[in-house]
Amino acid sequence: MKKTDLLIGLIIGLISAFVGSYLFLKTQTEYDLIEDFSIIKNEGILGKVMALGAVLNIIMFFILLKKNKELMARGVVMATIILALTTLFL
């Protein structure tokens, strides 16, 4: 069991959630994730945006399972759990 695969999966999960959040905000709203971060946080929609961005983790999970990278897929699930807990506390 290689711990680096788990860490790589965690990083993939966090990056894909960030990209998903960025794409959602860019295509569906007038906000920009980088420039309007404080506005998004003050309006209380940051948790919702993070949850919608984590949808890409599902795609990454199944891609990694199809390529027989189970530990990386576990890392993606772990990133999703971390994002869910973060969303809960925001």
Side-chain angles (χ1 to χ4, degrees):
M1 183 157 109
K2 296 171 69 175
K3 299 289 182 185
T4 57
D5 285 346
L6 191 64
L7 182 65
I8 291 170
L10 178 69
I11 292 169
I12 288 171
L14 293 175
I15 289 173
S16 68
F18 176 77
V19 169
S21 298
Y22 182 77
L23 288 175
F24 171 73
L25 285 174
K26 206 62 161 165
T27 59
Q28 302 297 322
T29 66
E30 67 275 357
Y31 296 122
D32 187 37
L33 184 63
I34 308 300
E35 296 171 1
D36 300 329
F37 183 77
S38 61
I39 296 170
I40 294 169
K41 187 175 179 184
N42 290 338
E43 288 185 8
I45 60 172
L46 182 60
K48 296 172 184 135
V49 169
M50 286 174 53
L52 285 171
V55 170
L56 281 183
N57 284 352
I58 297 169
I59 297 167
M60 293 306 300
F61 176 76
F62 285 115
I63 289 172
L64 289 171
L65 280 182
K66 189 163 183 101
K67 292 186 175 191
N68 291 327
K69 303 284 186 181
E70 287 86 11
L71 282 176
M72 285 186 193
R74 274 191 210 172
V76 171
V77 170
M78 197 163 65
T80 306
I81 292 170
I82 290 170
L83 288 170
L85 291 174
T86 305
T87 303
L88 180 69
F89 291 118
L90 289 178

